[in-house]
Amino acid sequence: MPEITLLATHQLFNGEQRRYRHYSRYNQCDMTFSVYLPSRALQGYRLPVVYCLGGLTCTDENFCIKSGAQRFAAEWGIVLVMPDTSPRGTDVADANIYSLGQGAGFYVNATQQPWVQHYQMYDYVVTELPELIEKHFPVNEQRSLCGHSMGGHGALMIALKNPQRYLAVSAFAPIAHPIAGTWGQEAFTAYLGENQADWAVYDSTELITQNPPPFPILIDQGSVDEYYPAQLHPQDFVQAARFKGVNIRYHLRKDYDHSYYFVSTFIESHISFHAEAFGL
């Protein structure tokens, strides 16, 4: 049986948008991920890669269908990798609210029942998925992270916990201080338990105060986002980052909301930001 199975492929901006399935040793279930390969990758050139993390209720397909990122990745010669947002399957624990369970993995390694068996999304994104990508696709050692909403939390948090692995991180409307909002509090309680010290190691605002990163950060936030600031708290993260002298660019975008209309409007600047970090 192949290590990864191709599910679909589409021609896009002279490159290919592909979707794959594989069995995850960390999540102990089948996982899907999507990859955009620019034309230069199809020609065998080894290119840098941006891992694009989705938000609550999303799959690996939301970003690749709605963001418009491929047009700019094609221009710069950047591979895009879009993982699913959680484990899935009939044997995988779930909840009857959209902010917990399947579609809401929060990119943590769960320690509590019934989540611990399958919800190891931190190790999946940091270790397992890059191993597969670097084995099966023409990418080089340059990596960065981008995310939207819960995926913005994942991108910031993962980059801050692994500064040696990534050259930059960007986020759209990130859940930037999850322990300060009900989404994060409920998810962290379920996945990690009641001890808030265990939450802090997955909270970007807490992390940046302890270990300011060497790489640049870009955040875009819509001013009429229905979840801003109560669930997102980007201002907490930005204040902490600036206090520590971090290279952070923050834009509060007037009259934009939380949707992919917002993401697609500013995705070009994010791909250019990553290209700059890659030295392209």
Side-chain angles (χ1 to χ4, degrees):
M1 181 175 292
E3 189 173 22
I4 60 174
T5 300
L6 180 65
L7 302 178
T9 184
H10 305 277
Q11 186 80 0
L12 185 61
F13 299 117
N14 297 314
E16 290 185 359
Q17 181 70 47
R18 300 179 184 175
R19 194 180 194 212
Y20 290 88
R21 180 176 59 235
H22 74 104
Y23 184 80
S24 167
R25 70 180 186 272
Y26 282 107
N27 291 324
Q28 298 185 49
C29 65
D30 285 339
M31 297 288 295
T32 58
F33 66 88
S34 294
V35 178
Y36 177 66
L37 299 170
S39 60
R40 294 191 67 217
L42 301 179
Q43 295 164 14
Y45 292 95
R46 304 185 73 82
L47 304 179
V49 56
V50 178
Y51 290 85
C52 305
L53 308 186
L56 290 170
T57 76
C58 292
T59 70
D60 58 294
E61 293 191 295
N62 293 75
F63 190 93
C64 65
I65 292 172
K66 297 179 179 181
S67 73
Q70 296 94 332
R71 177 188 296 273
F72 309 108
E75 292 176 2
W76 284 106
I78 294 173
V79 173
L80 304 178
V81 176
M82 293 139 278
D84 203 347
T85 56
S86 77
R88 298 180 194 268
T90 56
D91 296 330
V92 175
D94 201 2
N96 60 2
I97 57 173
Y98 70 90
S99 55
L100 184 67
Q102 295 186 34
F106 268 84
Y107 304 100
V108 303
N109 285 341
T111 59
Q112 305 298 303
Q113 295 293 348
W115 314 102
V116 63
Q117 180 180 356
H118 297 291
Y119 285 74
Q120 303 296 311
M121 285 298 295
Y122 175 84
D123 282 345
Y124 177 75
V125 172
V126 173
T127 302
E128 184 172 11
L129 185 58
E131 288 176 355
L132 287 174
I133 297 301
E134 290 162 17
K135 179 177 180 180
H136 293 281
F137 301 95
V139 299
N140 61 32
E141 72 284 356
Q142 294 181 300
R143 311 178 196 92
S144 67
L145 287 155
C146 177
H148 174 227
S149 192
M150 181 188 71
H153 144 72
L156 293 172
M157 176 269 294
I158 288 171
L160 291 171
K161 289 172 72 67
N162 301 273
Q164 74 287 353
R165 289 181 61 85
Y166 304 101
L167 294 178
V169 60
S170 72
F172 295 91
I175 305 174
H177 196 184
I179 66 175
T182 57
W183 283 345
Q185 292 165 3
E186 291 171 354
F188 284 4
T189 299
Y191 296 142
L192 305 172
E194 299 284 349
N195 186 351
Q196 294 193 16
D198 296 331
W199 304 359
V201 299
Y202 292 109
D203 186 294
S204 298
T205 299
E206 299 295 320
L207 289 167
I208 205 163
T209 62
Q210 301 162 15
N211 189 23
F215 49 71
I217 300 172
L218 170 63
I219 295 177
D220 275 298
Q221 172 65 56
S223 69
V224 297
D225 186 324
E226 60 268 44
Y227 307 115
Y228 166 77
Q231 297 291 359
L232 306 177
H233 298 282
Q235 70 286 350
D236 294 353
F237 179 83
V238 173
Q239 182 179 8
R242 288 176 173 165
F243 181 77
K244 290 292 186 177
V246 174
N247 178 5
I248 184 167
R249 309 175 199 177
Y250 175 66
H251 305 112
L252 185 62
R253 302 295 188 176
K254 187 176 184 296
D255 296 332
Y256 282 90
D257 59 21
H258 196 75
S259 71
Y260 269 92
Y261 297 113
F262 159 60
V263 173
S264 63
T265 300
F266 299 105
I267 191 64
E268 180 179 9
S269 64
H270 282 242
I271 299 301
S272 297
F273 168 79
H274 292 284
E276 179 183 346
F278 293 144
L280 300 178

